[in-house]
Amino acid sequence: MSRLLSLRAVSRAAAALALASVAVAAQAQPAPVRIGLMLPSSGTFADLGKGVTNGFKLYVNEQGGKLGGRAVEYLAVDDESDPSKANENANKLVKRDKVDLLVGTIHSGVAQTMAKVARETNTLLIVPNAGAGEITGSMCAPNVFRSSFSNWQPGYASGLLAARKHKTAVTISWKYAAGDESVRGFREGFEKGGGKVLKDLNLPFPGVEFQPLLTELATIKPEAAYVFVAGAGQVMFVKDYAAAGLKTSIPLYGAFITEGTLAAQGDAASGLQTALHYADGLKNPKNEAFIASYTKAFGAAPDVFAVQGYDAAQLFDAGMRAVKGDTKKKAEMIKAMENAKLDSPRGPLSFSKSHNPVQDYYVRVARGTQNVMTDVIVKGLVDPSPDCKL
Amino acid sequence: MDLALILIQTLNAVQYGLLLFLVASGLTLIFGVMGVINLAHGSFYMMGAYLAFTLTALTGNLLLAIVIGVVLSAVLGALLEWALFSHLYRRNHLQQVLLTYGLILIFEELRSVLVGNEVYSVKVPDWLNFSVPLGSVMTYPAYRLFMSGVCLVLALGLYLLIERTLVGARIRAGSSNRGMVQLLGINIDWLYRLVFALGVALAAFAGMLNAPASSVSPGMGTQVLIVSFVVVIVGGIGSVWGALLASLLVAFADTFGKVFVPDYAGIAIYVVMAAILLWRPEGLFKS
Amino acid sequence: MMSLVTSRSRAAIIAVFLGALAAFPLFGQEFYTELVTRVMILSIFAISLDLLVGYTGLVSFGHAAWFGMGGYVFALLGTKYQLTDSLWLTLPAAMLVTAAAAFLVGLFVLRTRGMFFIMVTLAFAQIFYFFFHDIKALGGSSDGMNLRGKPDTRIGGWVPFELTDPNTLYYFVLVLMAALLLAMALLLRSPLGRALQGIRENEHRMEAIGFPVFRYKLAAFTIAGAFGGLAGYLFAVLNGSVNPEMLSWHQSADVLLMLILGGMGQLWGGPIGAFTFVLLQELLSSYSKLWHLWLGIAIVLIVLFLPGGMFSLFDRVKRLRQGRAA
C-alpha cells in the first residue's frame, strides 16, 4: 500500500505544481470562491450525500462553472454521519481551508455542530437536508440557511392530509430527535384538521423489529396511522405493514416513508399517500428541465435530496449575484439570500425570517417506482420557528 | 391487555428470538471452539443479505440463491481463516478483536464499491407470499412462520452435529484442549478451518434467510452484531443451547419492553443481561 | 524494551518532543493547534486505557463509556441544568462521577476474565450509550447537545486563564497530559503499580501470595475510568458539544487501536499511538474516498505484522543494526 500511496503522492504533487503554474498565469482572474461540501460519502447516508452533491454541482455547471463571476473550487470532507467528529470536520473546512461557504449535511446531530461552528466563525452555512428544528429555531443565525425543510413541516403537512379523511390516528416513530419532531408536527397538523392522536408508539433507533408495535396498533384500531422511520427502516416498515394486513384496514400516512426506497418496497408501498415538498416527475417547466439535465449528467433520475442540493447552490448564487462575487460583503449577501425567490424544481421557494424554506407541500401517491403528485395540501408552508430570535 | 394480545406478542417474541439464535449461533460456535471474538460476524450477515439480493436477481430463485450463497460464504470463511486467523491463535484476544474490526471496515467499503449504498429488498418466493389471519384486524406473514421453522430445524441440526457426530466430538474436544487433540493425531488446523467456515456460512445464511422479510442495506451488520453479542454473553460462550435460550430471553425482553416500557425499550435487553451476569458471571450455560 | 535507547538519549528525546509540542501553537495555525489538542486529549484517553490493558492485562472494550460520560457530566452541569460552569467544580465532578460509575461496573465485570471480560465491558458500554441516547433527563438525544460555552476558570474574582482562547486550551491540555504521564510513571513504581503488573503476568500466583487481586483490579478499573472521564470532559470542551457517539463501540475500538499502534504497557504508548492513529486517518482520508477500506487494510496489516506497535519498530531497527555490527 505504501507504494500506492507514494505514487498517489507524486501524482498529487505534480498536479499541485501544474495548478500553481496555471494560477500564476491567470492571476488577473479573481480567485475562485471556495465551497466546503461536508457530506457523508460513507455509511448509511452516503447515497443521500451523493444526491446533494450532484444537485449542487449541476447548478454550478449550468452557470458555466461560475458563481458571481468567480470560478468555483470544491473542498469535500466525508462527515461519516458521526457527530463526535463533526466539530473537527467543520473546522477543517472553515479554519484550515478557509471556505467561503459551508454546505452540509444529512445527519441532524452533525448539522447542529456545523451550525455552532458557523455561528462561532461567522461562516455562511447552507443546510441541504438535516431537519432538526433547532438549526432554524433556537440556534438560528443570520449566516445559517436551510434549503430543505424542518422536521416539523412534512409532519404538519401529513397531519393535514390525514385529517382530510380521518378523525383518529396513532403515530409510530423511531425514538430519536427527528422522529419526535416529525410526530409533533403531525399531531399539530392533524389536530388543526379536527383529528385526535390516540397514542404515540415508538421503538429504539435504528431498530427494525416492528411486529410488537404493529400488534399494538391493530388493537388500538385508529382510523389512520402516521410513521416516521428512515432508510432501511422505511422498506421494512412498509413491507411489514402490508404483510400484517393493516394497509387496507388502517391507512398509512408518512412524509419520507416512501422516499428513495420505492423500488425496494415493491407492491407493499403501492397506493401509499405521503406529503412532501417534492414529487417524482412534478409537472412544472423548471423541474422538467432539471430532470433532463440531471439524468443526462448522472445517468439516474434526481431525488428530493438532489433538489435540495441544487437549491442550496441556487440560494448561494442569489447572494453571489447581489455582491458580484465579493464575498466580503457578507451583510449584503445575506440580505439577498433572505429575499431570494427561487424557481426551484419543487416549485416556488422563498425563505422565512428564520431562514427556513417556505414551500408548497404536495400530496403524493406511490405508483410503481414513483411518488406521483395528485394534489397540493398546503401552499407556502412556513415553520413558525417560535424559538428563533432573528 | 387481554390474553389474545399477549399470545400474539409472544408469537412475535418467539419468532424474533429464533431469528436471533440463527445469527448468534455462528458467533458462539467460533467463540467457543476457536476462542475468537469475531466482530466481523455482522459483516458476514450483511454479506449474506447482499448475496441473496444479487443471486436471486441472477437465478430468479431464492432457494437456489441460498444454496449457492452458503457454499460461497463457507469458502470465503475457510480462505479468511487460512490467510488471517490461523496466524493469530497464539496471540492475545485483543489482536483478534482488532483484526475483525479492520475486516468490518473493509467489508463495508467493498459493499459500497460493489453494490452501492441504496436500500434493496428481496422478493418473498411466491409459494410463501401469503398471510395467515390472526385476530380480527391483523394477519401474520407466512414467510416469518417459515423462517421460524427453518431456525428450529437448524438448531436441531447443530445439536446433532455437535453432540452426535465424529466431527462434533472433535470440535468439542478441540474447544476444551487444543494440544490434546493434536496429540491424538487429529489435524486441528483443518478442524478450525471447518468451524470458521461453518460459522461464516451460518451468519451468511441468517442474512439470506432474513433478507425477504427485511431489507438489504448499508450498516445492517453492526445492528445485528451487538444484539448477537448480548445473546452469546447471556447464553454462555460456546454453548448452542445457551444461545437458543438466551435468544428467546432477549427477544422477550425486547418485545415486551416495547409494549410495557416503551421509553426504556432500548436498554431492556441490556438490563436483562446485567441481571443474569450478576447471578451467573459466565452466562447461563458454561461450556 | 526500555533499553532500546539509553536513558540519557531517551530523556533528550522526551525533552525535544515536549518542547516541540510546547512551541507548536506559535505557528498560529488554529486548525492544527486544535488538531494537536485533540490528539493530546486522545493520548490521555489512551493512557488511561493502557493502565488496564497494558499494565493490568484487562482488555476493556467499553472504555468509551467513561469518555462519553465525562463529557456529559460537563454538558449536564453547565448546559442542561445550568448548575455551574466552573472548571474547578465540573472537572472534578466529571472524574468523580466516572470513577464512581467505573467502580460500580467494575464490581460486575471484574468477576469475568479473558474473552468474557472483553464482551461484558462492551455490553456495559452499550447500556450507557442508550442512557445518553434515550433518557431525556440525562440529556438523551440522538443529536447530542451543543454546549453553552467553555468552562469558567474564575476563582473568586481572579481569572487565571481563559479556556475560550484555543492556545490556552492547548497548553491546559498539554499540562494535563504531561502530569498524567508523570503520575503514571510514579504509579508504576509504587506498590500498587507493581502489584498490577504482577496481576498481568500471573494472576493466580499473585492470589496465592495473598494479594487481594480483585481489589487491586477494581482500583485500576476505577482510576482508568476517572482518567477516561477526564479525556471525555476535555473532548467535550474542545468540541463544544457532546453526543452519544462519544460512547459508541467504534470509539472503544479506536482507542484500543491507538494502544496497539503505540505499544501496550509502554508509558509513551498512548501518545505515540494517538498521534499515529490520527495521522493515519488524516492521510488516508485526504488521499482517497475509499479511505475506510485502506484504514481497514492498514489495521489488518498492523495486527499481523506489527503487533508490538511503533515501539517494536525501533527494536527491530536496533536488532538489524546489531546484526550488521556483528
Side-chain angles (χ1 to χ4, degrees):
Chain A
M1 191 178 58
S2 69
R3 227 186 92 195
L4 203 91
L5 271 182
S6 65
L7 268 179
R8 273 168 186 271
V10 169
S11 64
R12 271 206 145 204
L17 212 69
L19 264 178
S21 51
V22 170
V24 169
Q27 214 152 45
Q29 296 267 327
V33 58
R34 297 163 76 83
I35 296 179
L37 298 174
M38 182 167 154
L39 291 156
S41 58
S42 61
T44 324
F45 293 142
D47 235 33
L48 283 58
K50 198 169 85 185
V52 170
T53 308
N54 287 350
F56 196 98
K57 290 189 172 167
L58 180 68
Y59 179 81
V60 174
N61 290 344
E62 283 174 4
Q63 314 308 309
K66 284 189 171 184
L67 297 180
R70 288 169 71 183
V72 172
E73 184 184 357
Y74 297 108
L75 298 117
V77 163
D78 176 10
D79 72 32
E80 300 175 72
S81 300
D82 183 347
S84 66
K85 291 183 184 161
N87 187 62
E88 181 188 358
N89 285 329
N91 276 323
K92 194 177 277 179
L93 292 168
V94 171
K95 290 183 181 165
R96 187 187 71 181
D97 300 338
K98 310 259 186 306
V99 295
D100 300 299
L101 167 73
L102 191 57
V103 178
T105 185
I106 310 297
H107 187 289
S108 280
V110 178
Q112 280 180 29
T113 298
M114 292 176 73
K116 181 188 69 81
V117 171
R119 280 173 70 125
E120 285 167 0
T121 57
N122 195 23
T123 309
L124 203 55
L125 166 69
I126 302 179
V127 179
N129 185 66
E134 271 189 36
I135 294 171
T136 55
S138 60
M139 289 185 64
C140 72
N143 55 323
V144 175
F145 287 82
R146 176 149 54 193
S147 68
S148 49
F149 59 93
S150 68
N151 288 327
W152 178 90
Q153 284 179 307
Y156 181 82
S158 308
L160 290 179
L161 172 63
R164 278 182 172 179
K165 283 191 192 152
H166 312 285
K167 288 284 160 232
T168 58
V170 164
T171 69
I172 298 180
S173 71
W174 270 336
K175 200 174 161 43
Y176 73 141
D180 294 347
E181 288 178 7
S182 171
V183 163
R184 215 175 301 140
F186 176 83
R187 177 187 292 272
E188 220 179 300
F190 194 57
E191 283 173 0
K192 181 140 201 285
K196 188 171 184 307
V197 174
L198 300 178
K199 193 168 185 185
D200 296 325
L201 301 175
N202 54 48
L203 79 164
F205 168 80
V208 287
E209 200 46 39
F210 299 113
Q211 285 296 334
L213 299 189
L214 296 182
T215 307
E216 220 181 329
L217 178 75
T219 47
I220 301 173
K221 291 188 189 130
E223 288 178 27
Y226 174 72
V227 62
F228 187 92
V229 292
Q234 298 174 350
V235 178
M236 256 195 101
F237 188 90
V238 170
K239 282 168 73 179
D240 282 357
Y241 202 82
L246 294 170
K247 204 174 141 192
T248 43
S249 52
I250 306 174
L252 181 66
Y253 292 86
F256 279 95
I257 188 71
T258 52
E259 199 58 37
T261 47
L262 263 182
Q265 288 170 353
D267 295 340
S270 157
L272 277 194
Q273 283 197 43
T274 48
L276 206 66
H277 44 270
Y278 185 64
D280 296 316
L282 192 63
K283 289 276 179 290
N284 66 49
K286 179 77 185 180
N287 191 41
E288 277 152 21
F290 173 70
I291 292 175
S293 65
Y294 189 97
T295 312
K296 192 171 159 224
F298 305 107
D303 51 16
V304 65
F305 307 104
V307 174
Q308 292 166 180
Y310 186 86
D311 288 338
Q314 253 198 113
L315 174 61
F316 181 59
D317 193 29
M320 289 294 279
R321 278 169 200 266
V323 296
K324 300 198 172 53
D326 185 359
T327 42
K328 287 198 189 66
K329 295 181 182 159
K330 200 167 264 170
E332 267 179 67
M333 266 183 96
I334 289 172
K335 189 109 210 126
M337 288 166 71
E338 274 172 346
N339 297 327
K341 300 265 179 286
L342 302 181
D343 182 15
S344 162
R346 73 185 94 171
L349 173 67
S350 59
F351 295 86
S352 69
K353 66 171 179 32
S354 64
H355 297 175
N356 196 55
V358 177
Q359 53 197 347
D360 298 349
Y361 273 81
Y362 304 109
V363 182
R364 302 128 28 107
V365 177
R367 287 191 195 128
T369 56
Q370 291 217 310
N371 288 299
V372 181
M373 185 266 216
T374 56
D375 196 359
V376 179
I377 185 75
V378 50
K379 274 189 125 31
L381 180 62
V382 183
D383 184 331
S385 323
D387 297 329
C388 176
K389 306 276 178 284
L390 266 183
Chain B
M1 197 157 149
D2 60 359
L3 188 66
L5 191 56
I6 291 182
L7 280 177
I8 299 177
Q9 295 291 21
T10 305
L11 176 68
N12 288 334
V14 169
Q15 190 265 325
Y16 179 43
L18 287 170
L19 183 69
L20 275 183
F21 167 75
L22 185 62
V23 183
S25 57
L27 189 64
T28 202
L29 201 66
I30 292 177
F31 255 131
V33 177
M34 309 164 70
V36 170
I37 298 180
N38 181 20
L39 290 182
H41 194 73
S43 303
F44 296 130
Y45 172 82
M46 175 187 75
M47 184 186 73
Y50 275 90
L51 275 176
F53 170 71
T54 320
L55 292 174
T56 28
L58 284 177
T59 64
N61 184 331
L62 180 69
L63 292 186
L64 184 62
I66 288 183
V67 173
I68 301 174
V70 164
V71 174
L72 284 179
S73 34
V75 170
L76 177 79
L79 275 175
L80 282 175
E81 200 277 346
W82 169 74
L84 302 175
F85 290 91
S86 60
H87 305 289
L88 289 183
Y89 295 130
R90 274 164 237 280
R91 306 244 198 105
N92 59 31
H93 296 309
L94 175 58
Q95 289 171 5
Q96 299 163 0
V97 168
L98 289 179
L99 180 86
T100 56
Y101 183 65
L103 287 182
I104 294 184
L105 298 178
I106 294 175
F107 282 133
E108 198 71 41
E109 198 75 50
L110 283 179
R111 189 261 316 139
S112 163
V113 172
L114 294 175
V115 214
N117 297 310
E118 280 167 67
V119 181
Y120 298 111
S121 75
V122 177
K123 264 205 154 75
V124 174
D126 287 336
W127 56 281
L128 278 170
N129 199 2
F130 63 96
S131 290
V132 185
L134 201 70
S136 54
V137 188
M138 264 192 97
T139 59
Y140 214 80
Y143 188 78
R144 282 184 178 252
L145 298 174
F146 167 74
M147 271 163 63
S148 299
V150 173
C151 293
L152 278 175
V153 170
L154 197 95
L156 193 68
L158 267 181
Y159 170 78
L160 291 176
L161 174 76
I162 291 174
E163 299 294 330
R164 295 291 160 84
T165 64
L166 188 61
V167 176
R170 288 177 177 174
I171 290 176
R172 273 179 290 143
S175 71
S176 48
N177 192 334
R178 185 187 157 103
M180 184 66 78
V181 174
Q182 241 161 345
L183 281 180
L184 290 174
I186 295 165
N187 189 334
I188 191 94
D189 292 338
W190 278 103
L191 189 66
Y192 273 26
R193 207 148 292 157
L194 180 77
V195 170
F196 198 81
L198 183 62
V200 172
L202 277 171
F205 178 68
M208 288 186 276
L209 187 68
N210 196 24
S214 152
S215 62
V216 182
S217 65
M220 63 186 292
T222 27
Q223 264 189 53
V224 156
L225 176 73
I226 300 289
V227 189
S228 326
F229 262 75
V230 173
V231 166
V232 172
I233 297 174
V234 169
I237 288 178
S239 163
V240 172
W241 282 133
L244 181 58
L245 194 63
S247 300
L248 290 170
L249 205 61
V250 165
F252 270 88
D254 185 73
T255 304
F256 286 94
K258 279 172 189 158
V259 176
F260 291 118
V261 281
D263 286 349
Y264 300 96
I267 44 178
I269 60 171
Y270 300 104
V271 171
V272 166
M273 181 199 72
I276 292 205
L277 289 179
L278 189 63
W279 171 46
R280 278 170 174 253
E282 305 217 328
L284 294 172
F285 287 77
K286 212 168 148 181
S287 67
Chain C
M1 234 176 262
M2 280 284 197
S3 63
L4 65 105
V5 272
T6 63
S7 61
R8 242 170 87 194
S9 59
R10 191 184 164 83
I13 291 176
I14 293 173
V16 168
F17 179 67
L18 287 178
L21 272 184
F24 189 78
L26 302 179
F27 289 102
Q29 294 277 338
E30 199 179 330
F31 172 74
Y32 290 101
T33 303
E34 286 183 5
L35 183 72
V36 178
T37 312
R38 175 170 296 106
V39 173
M40 291 192 295
I41 292 171
L42 291 176
S43 302
I44 294 177
F45 188 30
I47 295 167
S48 73
L49 179 63
D50 203 16
L51 180 66
L52 293 179
V53 180
Y55 294 108
T56 319
L58 293 167
V59 180
S60 168
F61 201 168
H63 208 54
W66 320 127
F67 188 71
M69 200 181 290
Y72 265 95
V73 170
F74 177 58
L76 292 174
L77 287 176
T79 302
K80 176 142 173 104
Y81 294 110
Q82 310 198 348
L83 295 172
T84 171
D85 263 345
S86 167
L87 174 73
W88 315 108
L89 292 175
T90 52
L91 180 69
M95 292 181 70
L96 275 176
V97 170
T98 45
F103 178 83
L104 286 176
V105 170
L107 287 176
F108 280 89
V109 300
L110 290 168
R111 298 178 352 146
T112 62
R113 290 195 172 76
M115 282 198 300
F116 249 102
F117 185 78
I118 297 181
M119 309 238 309
V120 174
T121 44
L122 168 67
F124 266 96
Q126 277 308 108
I127 298 187
F128 288 114
Y129 175 88
F130 273 103
F131 277 179
F132 295 114
H133 192 279
D134 282 359
I135 298 181
K136 290 267 184 309
L138 292 174
S141 158
S142 52
D143 290 349
M145 209 192 300
N146 277 325
L147 303 180
R148 277 199 309 162
K150 307 279 186 219
D152 186 354
T153 52
R154 255 177 309 169
I155 310 172
W158 178 52
V159 184
F161 49 85
E162 285 279 10
L163 290 181
T164 41
D165 173 48
N167 286 357
T168 313
L169 181 61
Y170 177 95
Y171 287 114
F172 181 67
V173 172
L174 176 61
V175 167
L176 283 177
M177 183 184 82
L180 179 60
L181 280 167
L182 188 68
M184 280 291 284
L186 293 176
L187 175 78
L188 293 174
R189 291 194 187 128
S190 73
L192 171 63
R194 291 188 189 282
L196 294 180
Q197 293 170 69
I199 292 171
R200 176 188 64 190
E201 294 309 324
N202 194 330
E203 191 172 332
H204 297 295
R205 188 180 294 164
M206 293 296 282
E207 201 135 32
I209 307 172
F211 272 94
V213 166
F214 185 83
R215 274 193 228 166
Y216 274 96
K217 289 204 281 192
L218 190 57
F221 200 74
T222 309
I223 295 172
F227 283 107
L230 169 69
Y233 176 94
L234 295 171
F235 195 76
V237 169
L238 175 69
N239 280 346
S241 64
V242 291
N243 53 71
E245 294 314 308
M246 287 174 75
L247 295 90
S248 81
W249 63 278
H250 294 279
Q251 194 83 39
S252 295
D254 283 352
V255 66
L256 279 170
L257 270 176
M258 290 175 209
L259 276 188
I260 284 265
L261 276 172
M264 286 175 291
Q266 309 280 343
L267 188 57
W268 286 86
I272 292 177
F275 273 89
T276 319
F277 183 72
V278 172
L279 204 67
L280 192 67
Q281 269 194 341
E282 291 290 319
L283 271 178
L284 293 178
S285 65
S286 63
Y287 275 108
S288 168
K289 274 215 150 188
L290 299 179
W291 67 281
H292 280 118
L293 178 66
W294 303 120
L295 184 66
I297 292 174
I299 292 171
V300 169
L301 292 177
I302 287 162
V303 169
L304 286 179
F305 299 113
L306 206 61
M310 303 300 283
F311 255 103
S312 65
L313 269 185
F314 292 120
D315 246 17
R316 285 188 192 183
V317 171
K318 194 184 156 211
R319 244 181 287 143
L320 264 178
R321 272 208 193 144
Q322 278 175 342
R324 226 170 265 165

